[in-house]
Amino acid sequence: MSASQTPPPVPAAVATAGADADTPTLLVKIFGKDRPGITAGLFETLAAYSLDVIDIEQVVTRGRITLCALVTTPDGSGAEGGLRATVHSWAESMRLQAEIISGRGDNRPRGTGRSHVTVLGHPLTAEATAAIAARITGVGGNIDRIFRLAKYPVTAVEFAVSGTGTEELRTALAPKAAALGVDVAVVAAGLHRRAQRLVVMDVDSTLIQDEVIELFAAHAGCEEKVAEVTAAAMRGELDFEQSLHARVALLEGLDESVVDKVRSEVRLTPGARTLIRTLKRLGYQVGVVSGGFTQVTDDLRERLGLDFASANTLEIVDGKLTGRVVGEVVDRAGKARLLRRFAAEAGVPLAQTVAIGDGANDLDMLNTAGLGVAFNAKPVVQEAAHAAVNVPFLDTVLYLLGVTREEVEAADTAV
């Protein structure tokens, strides 16, 4: 919104009351430098004409206010002219500008098929914003409202869109976002967005910055060889279970004291603590599933207060790693099964689950969840997921859920 003296476009409004289609109405627009008392002053001025308020919306950007009020036209000969003169006089006394537009009825009904389109940019450019808006319009969508969710660590804005389906929007926006270098998530609008949810994350290169098996391999002197196999598995070039057994076999003979060393070497992804802390304070349940090892995920569960955790378990006999894992292997299909199990235990429908991951072995889990988020993921994962985040801050996932930066900070100060 411009801060110049040119009247900005009228913000899309959220209906607070209805009006018959034939009812004469006035749209009163006030804009200028914001200061305390503008809203109260406008409605005190209007109150002298015994009006009904149909709709209100107010936006303040960089100290400039746009206040719109949709009201019924006053009864009586000359009443409308008197109102216009009074409002303009009041606005002039407040060093504001006013515009009054005659019409009939309320806002037009929003179209069916409503979605929230969240755009993350680092930075968010005018070119990217224009292209996203044009693509929304191109598939029949109407942008009803735009507002900023966060200004750091990324710029996050949300478009409220109606008139087209959520899946159609996702399909249209995903390739455009990738080409523009921004992240876009499209979710259906509705009460479910604020309902209790379950968020399940991959661990290696998602919740943490490391690949745990490579940390173990460094102590066994085979880090480079293990890293090559890990990279191939994450690209989907190797069967995960076979690659897991091959890599774990290289750890045979390591002393179990290495477990504590690896735990101390694990580095959380920037924003991981903020993400989990905020989700928990919002009443969400949070879990992790990993192709790594319970020797690390159990520690993370305790440290971070997670509700669920599941991973593979390294076999240890007589104080030494045997080079084998015990129990059922947590692979690509296993992660999706665990998501379903966690959801059932949490009493949360799958439609209310969010999965976050980066590798090919996360794909089934991402596609099973109501919202699958590819976090700094391999290309094959980004193409298949519902949404992608390509900035190194895990807490930006909160913006995809409609949580603003102010709400994150308020949650932090509430304890």
Side-chain angles (χ1 to χ4, degrees), residues 196-200 285 307-308 335-354 368-369:
Q196 185 189 57
R197 288 189 175 186
L198 167 69
V199 178
V200 176
Q285 298 187 63
D307 299 285
F308 304 98
K335 287 187 173 184
R337 286 195 301 271
L338 287 164
L339 172 66
R340 293 188 185 94
R341 192 185 84 191
F342 293 168
E345 293 178 9
V348 174
L350 279 175
Q352 292 299 110
T353 61
V354 179
T368 298

Side-chain angles (χ1 to χ4, degrees), residues 119 127-136 169-184:
V119 182
E127 177 189 10
T129 305
I132 293 297
R135 183 57 63 94
I136 291 171
L169 269 177
R170 279 179 181 160
T171 301
L173 292 176
K176 177 60 69 174
L180 293 167
V182 297
D183 298 327
V184 174

Side-chain angles (χ1 to χ4, degrees), residues 105-320:
D106 202 343
N107 304 304
R108 66 179 183 179
R110 292 181 63 192
T112 57
R114 300 177 185 178
S115 305
H116 297 286
V117 177
T118 306
V119 182
L120 309 180
H122 190 58
L124 179 61
T125 65
E127 177 189 10
T129 305
I132 293 297
R135 183 57 63 94
I136 291 171
T137 303
V139 294
N142 185 70
I143 300 171
D144 301 314
R145 190 181 182 211
I146 307 173
F147 64 97
R148 186 175 69 183
L149 292 166
K151 61 182 179 181
Y152 69 93
V154 299
T155 300
V157 296
E158 182 174 285
F159 295 73
V161 177
S162 62
T164 190
T166 299
E167 289 301 325
E168 186 177 2
L169 269 177
R170 279 179 181 160
T171 301
L173 292 176
K176 177 60 69 174
L180 293 167
V182 297
D183 298 327
V184 174
V186 183
V187 298
L191 291 175
H192 64 277
R193 198 176 188 212
R194 287 291 188 176
Q196 185 189 57
R197 288 189 175 186
L198 167 69
V199 178
V200 176
M201 289 174 276
D202 173 45
V203 176
D204 293 7
S205 298
T206 299
L207 178 63
I208 66 174
Q209 300 177 61
D210 313 282
E211 292 287 334
V212 169
I213 196 166
E214 293 177 14
L215 296 179
F216 278 100
H219 292 280
C222 57
E223 183 179 13
E224 185 175 339
K225 190 170 183 179
V226 165
E228 291 175 0
V229 179
T230 298
M234 292 301 99
R235 292 192 299 267
E237 298 170 3
L238 294 176
D239 173 81
F240 177 81
E241 184 170 353
Q242 291 177 337
S243 71
L244 175 68
H245 290 307
R247 289 174 291 170
V248 170
L250 297 172
L251 307 181
E252 182 180 1
L254 274 179
D255 192 88
E256 67 177 336
S257 62
V258 168
V259 170
D260 287 335
K261 295 178 182 178
V262 168
R263 287 174 175 172
S264 68
E265 293 165 352
V266 165
R267 299 167 301 162
L268 292 173
T269 298
R273 288 187 182 277
T274 300
L275 172 67
I276 295 170
R277 182 172 62 245
T278 304
L279 290 172
K280 296 292 290 180
R281 289 174 184 169
L282 290 173
Y284 290 25
Q285 298 187 63
V286 185
V288 293
V289 292
S290 177
F293 310 109
T294 56
Q295 282 84 356
V296 171
T297 58
D298 287 350
D299 180 62
L300 290 171
R301 178 175 184 171
E302 183 176 348
R303 285 166 52 194
L304 299 174
L306 302 173
D307 299 285
F308 304 98
S310 188
N312 301 300
T313 299
L314 292 169
E315 184 181 60
I316 299 176
V317 176
D318 297 329
K320 302 288 184 180

